[in-house]
């Protein structure tokens, strides 16, 4: 009786949690809709303001070019009457080129030049400029660069609406007049930086020590002349000349974890494959050591904004920040100790240019099972969790109970870990249900449980210490699930990153790529959905381009070749459709080009000898078809009809000559 009441109470509490989660999800959807609406309004307002400014500039040019001499004279007279200091004058300026730098976004770009000596940039002048315009510049070691802060959010703002003071990072948010700082938010968004000249060739200039964001329009280049540019008696305020140990932006050390170092190596090796622009930026650096040196120098000073430093330091858990370099490298880091300012680099991802997340982390959209699993893992009391586990244990005989158990308890069992005696049993049932859910996605060509797979991959298998709470058999099964379904849920580039850091457990680390491809071959043997098979085969080719399969063991190579060869044949045991056979042959030829002609000859022989394709079988089928036609055709009726037709046409015959005689 007590057990029944306990189970009923657990189910009631669980239903109450579900109702609360459903209401929270409803509120989240409402707030998300309002936020999207506000963002749309803001974007529309900005587009309208940009279009209005563009039309205004066009009208000014048209007016100046079509005879506005009288009005100009009136304007000059008015300007002289008001005073030259109050006249709104404009002067034509055009960029001579655009600077390509290693800083993809404003966040992370150095605040001053020469703070990051490894930061390099490439300037290509426009073709309209003379060829010898930079002749003689190679004789200087440094130069001045005049450019535009093109990513300012207040471009085109009227001066009357500007703020006179801005927050200074070195003063921890203290305000100083704009013209007493080097803030990019100025009356005219013009920047001035000095840089070291590395090389000058025709219309190309390579410099280092930059503090420009990628794509900055350059207005002019001037040589740096020490005898007149260096002022020995120059004085600065006290907050500018602070010592390093007393500066709020000082970082004591930058630590790169082993996982992040492996991922950075992968990003560097595949940087040229992510786009032409990234390949151009990679050519500015010699080797992987230059990338590590650049990363240490950039993070050697606190690049966070004043708001981030003041608000995030009050939080308990460390906040993960992102640094974007070289067009498509996304580096994740945290500030470990706010007092000693130690930065730890956790991870790195390679993102395709112009795409969102092929190779990035899975988007964690809030789905119903994720919200309930979070409620069970975080908000529920330990006794209530035990009641929930015991309730599911009583109904495990139901077909869908295991699936529901996996969706409700995966964050608790895999994240926190159950410490009871039945831990291994619960984990085994959980992984069985997850395997069924992933297979159901494959058979229906859906990705309903992508968030569940993302948690298993990123937060359990690939995270440091994520598998330590599980037994050795459970660790192996988790690794198998990630290896089997990564090509379906992830893109090939993300899978390649997964292979480099796969798995986090030392018990299966030595298997790596072999283990990965053995599981993929097993999936290709079992799956019967044409679209999913084609997706796996095409992804294998792209994965081979990122990670050559030459390092595979002989057994794994034979297994992969056997699956590809069987899928490319018309017969059993798979009886693959034509689209799958074509894709399998193409994948086989690209991954294993040796023996391509022999396989083509074998295909021809197989087609001839196969019962469905041989010449004898085709002739037999034709004769059988003709026999059926002849057996069913009304030949007797056709003969009688023909004789009757001939009799009518020829008319009645007279007596024959033999009869007359």
């Amino acid at each position: 009786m007590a057990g029944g009441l306990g189970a009923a109470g657990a189910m009631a509490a669980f239903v109450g949690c579900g109702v609360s989660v459903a209401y929270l999800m409803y509120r989240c959807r409402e707030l998300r809709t309002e936020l999207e609406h506000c963002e749309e309004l803001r974007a529309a307002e900005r587009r309208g303001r940009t279009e209005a400014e563009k039309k205004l500039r066009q009208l000014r040019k048209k007016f100046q070019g079509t005879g506005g001499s009288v009005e100009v004279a009136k304007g000059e007279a008015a300007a002289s009457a008001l005073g030259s200091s109050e006249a709104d004058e404009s002067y034509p300026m055009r960029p001579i080129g655009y600077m390509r730098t290693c800083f993809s976004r404003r966040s992370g770009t150095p605040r001053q030049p020469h703070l990051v000596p490894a930061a390099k940039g490439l300037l290509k002048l426009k073709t309209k400029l003379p060829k010898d315009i930079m002749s003689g510049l190679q004789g200087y070691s440094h130069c001045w660069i005049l450019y535009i802060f093109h990513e300012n959010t207040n471009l085109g703002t009227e001066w009357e609406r500007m703020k006179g003071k801005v927050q200074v990072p070195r003063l921890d948010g203290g305000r100083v007049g704009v013209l007493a700082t080097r803030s990019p938010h100025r009356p005219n968004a013009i920047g001035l930086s000095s840089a070291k000249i590395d090389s000058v060739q025709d219309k190309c200039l390579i410099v280092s020590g930059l503090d420009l964001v990628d794509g900055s329009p350059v207005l002019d280049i001037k040589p740096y002349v020490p005898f007149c540019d260096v002022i020995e008696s120059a004085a600065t305020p006290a907050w500018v000349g602070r010592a390093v140990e007393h500066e709020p932006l000082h970082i004591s050390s930058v630590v790169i974890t082993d996982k992040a170092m492996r991922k950075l190596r992968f990003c560097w090796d595949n940087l040229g494959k992510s786009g032409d622009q990234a390949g151009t930026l990679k050519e500015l650096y010699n080797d992987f050591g230059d990338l590590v040196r650049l990363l240490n120098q950039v993070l050697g000073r606190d690049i966070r904004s004043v708001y981030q430093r003041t608000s995030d330091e009050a939080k308990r858990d460390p906040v993960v920040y992102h640094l974007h370099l070289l067009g498509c490298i996304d580096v994740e880091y945290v500030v470990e100790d706010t007092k000693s300012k130690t930065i730890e680099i956790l991870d790195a991802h390679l993102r395709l240019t112009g795409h969102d997340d092929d190779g990035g982390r899975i988007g964690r959209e809030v789905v119903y099972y994720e919200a309930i699993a979070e409620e069970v893992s975080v908000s529920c009391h330990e006794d209530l969790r035990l009641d929930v586990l015991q309730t599911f244990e009583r109904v495990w005989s139901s077909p869908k109970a295991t699936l529901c158990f996996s969706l409700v308890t995966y964050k608790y069992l895999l994240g926190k870990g159950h410490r009871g005696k039945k831990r291994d049993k619960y984990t085994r049932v959980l992984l069985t249900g997850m395997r069924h859910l992933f297979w159901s996605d494959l058979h229906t060509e859906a990705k309903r449980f992508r968030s569940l797979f993302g948690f298993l991959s990123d937060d359990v298998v690939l995270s440091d210490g994520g598998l330590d709470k599980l037994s050795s058999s459970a660790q192996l099964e988790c690794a198998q699930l990630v290896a089997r379904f990564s090509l379906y849920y992830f893109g090939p580039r993300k899978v390649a990153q997964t292979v480099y850091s796969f798995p986090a457990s030392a018990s299966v680390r030595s298997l790596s790529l072999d283990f990965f491809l053995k599981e993929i071959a097993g999936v290709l043997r079992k799956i019967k959905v044409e679209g999913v098979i084609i997706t796996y085969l095409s992804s294998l080719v792209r994965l081979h381009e990122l990670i050559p399969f030459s390092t595979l063991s002989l057994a794994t190579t034979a297994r992969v070749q056997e699956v590809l060869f069987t899928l490319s044949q018309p017969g059993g045991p798979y009886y693959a459709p034509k689209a799958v056979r074509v894709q399998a042959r193409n994948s086989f030829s690209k991954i294993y080009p040796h023996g391509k002609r022999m396989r083509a000859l074998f295909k021809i022989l197989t087609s001839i000898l196969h019962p469905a394709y041989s010449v004898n079988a085709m002739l037999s089928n034709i004769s059988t078809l003709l026999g059926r036609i002849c057996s069913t055709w009304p030949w007797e009726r056709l003969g009688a009809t023909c004789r009757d037709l001939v009799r009518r046409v020829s008319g009645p015959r007279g007596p024959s000559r033999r009869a007359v005689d």
Side-chain angles (χ1 to χ4, degrees), residues 289-309:
D290 288 348
L291 175 62
V292 177
R293 194 176 304 110
L294 171 66
L295 194 58
N296 284 315
Q297 291 178 4
V298 172
L299 295 178
R301 301 176 69 85
D302 199 341
I303 60 177
R304 298 177 299 170
S305 64
V306 176
Y307 174 77
Q308 288 176 333
R309 293 207 312 269

Side-chain angles (χ1 to χ4, degrees), residues 300-604:
R301 301 176 69 85
D302 199 341
I303 60 177
R304 298 177 299 170
S305 64
V306 176
Y307 174 77
Q308 288 176 333
R309 293 207 312 269
T310 55
S311 61
D312 295 346
E313 288 178 359
K315 299 179 181 179
R316 294 183 178 180
D317 298 330
V319 180
V320 179
Y321 300 98
H322 293 262
L323 172 64
H324 299 270
L325 295 174
L326 296 174
C328 50
I329 297 180
D330 181 9
V331 180
E332 297 181 2
Y333 69 95
V334 295
V335 180
E336 284 292 328
D337 191 354
T338 57
K339 295 182 179 180
S340 62
K341 291 290 185 68
T342 300
I343 284 182
E344 182 177 5
I345 300 176
L346 302 178
D347 205 348
H349 304 282
L350 187 64
R351 302 187 183 277
L352 284 173
T353 305
H355 296 76
D356 288 336
D357 235 7
D358 185 18
R361 294 175 64 87
I362 287 181
R364 297 296 181 84
E365 64 276 8
V366 179
V367 291
Y368 67 96
Y369 59 84
E370 187 174 9
I372 297 177
E374 185 72 21
E375 183 75 16
V376 173
S377 176
V378 177
S379 302
C380 289
H381 192 267
E382 186 65 28
D383 295 337
L384 182 58
R385 292 197 196 101
L386 291 177
D387 291 339
V388 171
L389 294 176
Q390 293 173 2
T391 303
F392 272 109
E393 190 175 357
R394 294 190 187 97
V395 295
W396 272 349
S397 58
S398 177
K400 297 183 179 180
T402 306
L403 307 181
C404 297
F405 178 77
S406 301
L407 294 175
V408 170
T409 62
Y410 73 93
K411 284 195 174 183
Y412 168 62
L413 295 178
L414 297 180
K416 288 189 174 182
H418 182 64
R419 299 181 181 179
K421 298 180 180 179
K422 298 182 179 180
R423 182 193 66 173
D424 295 341
K425 181 179 180 180
Y426 290 147
T427 306
R428 185 168 60 253
V429 175
L430 168 69
L431 295 177
T432 302
M434 294 176 73
R435 183 172 64 251
H436 291 322
L437 292 172
F438 298 151
W439 275 111
S440 67
D441 263 0
L442 259 68
H443 287 296
T444 57
E445 295 188 72
K447 294 185 179 180
R448 296 168 296 179
F449 305 107
R450 180 174 178 174
S451 180
L452 174 63
F453 184 80
F455 180 86
L456 175 66
S457 174
D458 294 341
D459 298 337
V460 179
V461 175
L462 299 180
S463 65
D464 295 332
L467 292 173
D468 295 342
K469 310 179 188 68
L470 307 177
S471 61
S472 58
S473 60
Q475 291 180 11
L476 182 60
E477 190 167 357
C478 288
Q480 288 175 343
L481 290 176
V482 172
R484 289 172 187 170
F485 303 104
S486 287
L487 276 183
Y488 181 70
Y489 288 108
F490 293 157
R493 194 172 300 278
K494 168 68 176 180
V495 173
Q497 296 182 16
T498 304
V499 170
Y500 269 96
S501 57
F502 172 87
S505 174
S507 60
V508 286
R509 181 183 295 277
S510 59
L511 302 177
S512 193
L513 186 59
D514 286 78
F515 177 79
F516 204 88
L517 289 178
K518 284 179 182 178
E519 297 298 328
I520 292 177
V523 172
L524 288 174
R525 284 194 180 99
K526 296 179 181 179
I527 195 66
K528 302 298 181 184
V529 182
E530 179 178 338
V532 177
I533 297 177
I534 293 176
T535 300
Y536 265 83
L537 293 175
S538 59
S539 299
L540 271 180
V541 176
R542 295 179 60 190
L543 183 62
H544 170 67
E545 295 173 355
L546 298 173
I547 309 177
F549 293 172
S550 57
T551 58
L552 294 177
S553 64
L554 185 61
T556 306
T557 302
R559 184 172 298 185
V560 174
Q561 289 180 348
E562 182 265 333
V563 172
L564 293 176
F565 180 77
T566 309
L567 286 174
S568 63
Q569 301 306 310
Y574 297 158
Y575 296 98
K578 184 177 180 180
V580 173
R581 296 199 304 270
V582 172
Q583 183 62 49
R585 285 196 294 268
N586 294 336
S587 301
F588 204 166
S589 301
K590 292 179 180 179
I591 297 175
Y592 301 104
H594 299 290
K596 180 179 178 180
R597 295 181 178 178
M598 185 61 66
R599 289 195 296 269
L601 179 61
F602 187 81
K603 171 185 172 297
I604 295 174

Side-chain angles (χ1 to χ4, degrees), residues 261-276:
M261 188 64 74
R262 293 195 304 270
K263 301 292 279 297
L264 283 172
R265 167 65 71 175
F266 171 82
C267 293
W268 172 261
D269 293 339
N270 295 274
L271 186 60
K273 302 177 183 179
S274 60
D276 297 336

